[in-house]
Amino acid sequence: PEGPCVLVQSRSRPDLSRLQSIDSYLASEPQSKELTPSFRVGQKLQFRLRANPTVKRDGRRLGLYAVEEQEQWLERKARAGGFRVLFVRTRREEKLSSTTGERQAVFAAARFDGVLVVIDPDLLVKTIESGIGSAKGFGFGLLSVAPVR
C-alpha cells in the first residue's frame, strides 16, 4: 500500500475503533497477529532498531550523535538486553524535535540494522517487549527481529 505503514507492538490488542470510525483515514483494514517469541542460546537473528541513543550526565540526558558513540551505546544495551551484536550498519537519521508550549525536546535518531546472537533468551524476550533506550513515546526503541536469511 502507498503511504505510511504503522507497526504497533503491544502486550494487549490495540483498540483501533476510533481510527476506523474516521472515514478514509485508514487505507486498509488493520491487521494484527499474536506473537509469542521464543529463542535459544546461540541463535542468530536479523534485527532493526530505531533508537534515541543517549547518556545521562549531571542528571541530564544528552544525545549521542557520533556513529562510534551510538554503536558503543548499542553494545551496552545489547549486553543488558540478552544479546550480542555480530554485525551492525548504523545510519544516523535526522534529529527529531517536539515542542510543548515553550519547551522543545530534540532527540538523536539512529537506525541500526544487523545480526545479533542470543545470549539470554528470556531477557531478549523482555527487551523486545519493553523496548530499548529512551523516547519510546516518540517512536524510538522498537527492536524487531527475524530469522537470518
Side-chain angles (χ1 to χ4, degrees), residues 79-95:
R79 281 192 299 274
F83 64 97
R84 184 169 46 89
V85 175
L86 296 179
F87 163 80
V88 67
R89 183 178 326 113
T90 303
R91 192 174 92 204
R92 235 174 72 183
E93 295 188 340
E94 293 293 319
K95 295 176 190 174

Side-chain angles (χ1 to χ4, degrees), residues 10-36:
S10 173
R11 288 188 177 118
S12 59
R13 183 176 293 276
D15 178 5
L16 302 174
S17 60
R18 291 182 68 185
L19 296 178
Q20 291 170 305
S21 68
I22 302 170
D23 194 35
S24 300
Y25 188 81
L26 298 175
S28 62
E29 187 69 25
Q31 299 175 17
S32 66
K33 66 179 179 179
E34 192 166 317
L35 178 66
T36 52

Side-chain angles (χ1 to χ4, degrees), residues 1 7 9 12 15 20 51 57 76-77 86 106 111 148:
L7 176 63
Q9 183 172 305
S12 59
D15 178 5
Q20 291 170 305
R57 291 194 184 119
R76 288 191 304 274
K77 296 298 181 178
L86 296 179
V106 177
R111 191 173 101 190
V148 173

Side-chain angles (χ1 to χ4, degrees), residues 104-125:
Q104 182 178 27
V106 177
F107 303 100
R111 191 173 101 190
F112 303 99
D113 292 284
V115 176
L116 62 81
V117 64
V118 178
I119 302 301
D120 181 330
D122 294 333
L123 186 53
L124 178 57
V125 169

Side-chain angles (χ1 to χ4, degrees), residues 31-47:
Q31 299 175 17
S32 66
K33 66 179 179 179
E34 192 166 317
L35 178 66
T36 52
S38 69
F39 306 109
R40 65 184 185 288
V41 173
Q43 182 178 6
K44 293 178 183 174
L45 300 165
Q46 294 182 131
F47 75 91

